[in-house]
Amino acid sequence: MNSEIETISKAIDGITGVGILDLKTKETVVFNGNHRFPMQSVFKFPLGIAVLDQVDKKKLRLDQKIHITSRDYFQKTYSPMRDKFPNADVDLTVAELLTYTVSLSDNIACDILFRLIGGPKVVNTYIHGLGVKDMQIVANEEQMHQSWDVQYTNWCKPEAMLQLLDVFYQGKKLSEASTDFLWNVMVETPTGAKRIKSMLPPNTIVAHKTGTSGANDKGITGAVNDVGIVKLPGGKDIAVVIYVSDSHAKTEEIEIVIAKIAKAAADHYSAK
């Protein structure tokens, strides 16, 4: 499996990191496992878990309304929420903010949730408390927008994200209602259609979270990522983590590599 991943990844430059886990047998494949990959919006998945933990602990409610003002908005960022409510001055529920953040990868909604639960440090501490150590969340979206290098402070090794996906899949840390809520918003996400799920059979269920940076003035893209849980038609459930960092390739070319690695993983585990 590792040699196949290496062959596929050679189609582009940069660093490709992969983690694959059979969620039932625990068979694991890791490629470039010691590299600290910038997560970009993938960090909205652990943020979502941390927010839902506070829902389970009755510190927040999914139907709790949060008033959004123009002070919550920052410019030159991706935000379907801001596009829908350009004048702000609107009340949105925690559930709506989570859907914007995790499903639509909304950067402004993300930072509102960070503020709501106490900032990146709270999320980082919570995730480490789950036993997932090789992940650091220290900066929010607005901070990442201020300097190219900040994205690298939110890093994760492939196996650490496999750990977190496994924790989520096992459903032992969040309530059943919270697990189902997060699962549904990750399945319904419209982002990353050309990544993990692109070359899988049409009836494959994929609950996933993408992360993408732009390119800098040297033509380097910091991150094109996709991580998630794949329920294969034959009954196999696998966690798939694919990070591509610091590549000169176009995003579309990187996405093809991600799709091919995911297909190779699906073929490998389906055959067992």
Side-chain angles (χ1 to χ4, degrees):
M1 186 79 223
N2 266 292
S3 60
E4 191 171 4
I5 292 169
E6 185 173 11
T7 299
I8 295 168
S9 66
K10 283 181 178 176
I12 55 172
D13 70 341
I15 307 166
T16 299
V18 179
I20 305 158
L21 169 67
D22 184 318
L23 288 158
K24 293 172 182 171
T25 69
K26 304 306 179 189
E27 180 190 342
T28 307
V29 174
V30 177
F31 181 76
N32 275 337
N34 288 321
H35 189 76
R36 295 177 173 184
F37 290 90
M39 286 186 282
Q40 278 288 339
S41 286
V42 166
F43 80 159
K44 292 167 183 168
F45 167 55
L47 168 61
I49 293 177
V51 170
L52 286 164
D53 174 70
Q54 294 208 3
V55 170
D56 289 342
K57 290 173 177 171
K58 311 298 183 188
K59 295 179 181 178
L60 295 171
R61 301 189 323 273
L62 281 179
D63 63 356
Q64 181 177 334
K65 290 185 176 179
I66 308 299
H67 188 65
I68 313 301
T69 74
S70 58
R71 292 191 300 275
D72 294 312
Y73 288 0
F74 57 99
Q75 301 307 310
K76 297 182 179 178
T77 193
Y78 176 75
S79 177
M81 181 188 73
R82 186 193 56 206
D83 294 344
K84 185 172 182 179
F85 306 105
N87 299 319
D89 195 26
V90 63
D91 291 330
L92 295 177
T93 64
V94 170
E96 288 172 318
L97 288 169
L98 275 167
T99 301
Y100 272 116
T101 298
V102 180
S103 191
L104 299 178
S105 210
D106 191 299
N107 294 333
I108 290 175
C110 168
D111 282 7
I112 292 169
L113 288 177
F114 267 128
R115 285 197 295 276
L116 192 61
I117 67 169
K121 186 176 180 181
V122 170
V123 178
N124 198 52
T125 300
Y126 172 72
I127 296 299
H128 287 186
L130 297 176
V132 179
K133 304 295 187 183
D134 286 328
M135 180 187 298
Q136 289 290 336
I137 301 170
V138 301
N140 65 15
E141 283 287 356
E142 189 168 13
Q143 290 167 327
M144 280 203 291
H145 279 62
Q146 290 169 4
S147 170
W148 174 261
D149 291 338
V150 176
Q151 67 179 304
Y152 296 96
T153 66
N154 288 334
W155 59 263
C156 180
K157 294 182 180 180
E159 199 160 6
M161 187 56 71
L162 286 182
Q163 281 182 276
L164 188 59
L165 288 164
D166 189 31
V167 165
F168 174 55
Y169 175 83
Q170 299 301 332
K172 293 176 182 175
K173 298 300 181 182
L174 295 178
S175 68
E176 184 177 354
S178 288
T179 299
D180 289 348
F181 178 89
L182 188 54
W183 174 267
N184 288 333
V185 296
M186 290 175 69
V187 169
E188 291 164 8
T189 177
T191 68
K194 296 181 179 178
R195 299 184 192 181
I196 286 176
K197 64 198 301 185
S198 174
M199 296 182 183
L200 302 182
N203 54 341
T204 306
I205 297 170
V206 182
H208 65 121
K209 182 72 203 82
T210 56
T212 314
S213 75
N216 65 11
D217 54 9
K218 296 176 182 175
I220 297 172
T221 297
V224 179
N225 306 326
D226 201 5
V227 313
I229 294 167
V230 178
K231 296 181 84 68
L232 295 166
K236 281 277 187 181
D237 294 347
I238 60 174
V240 179
V241 174
I242 308 174
Y243 298 130
V244 179
S245 182
D246 299 334
S247 177
H248 289 89
K250 295 177 180 177
T251 298
E252 295 79 9
E253 296 169 327
I254 299 171
E255 289 182 323
I256 290 170
V257 166
I258 291 174
K260 285 183 175 179
I261 292 172
K263 183 180 185 302
D267 290 347
H268 174 80
Y269 285 96
S270 293
K272 296 203 165 207

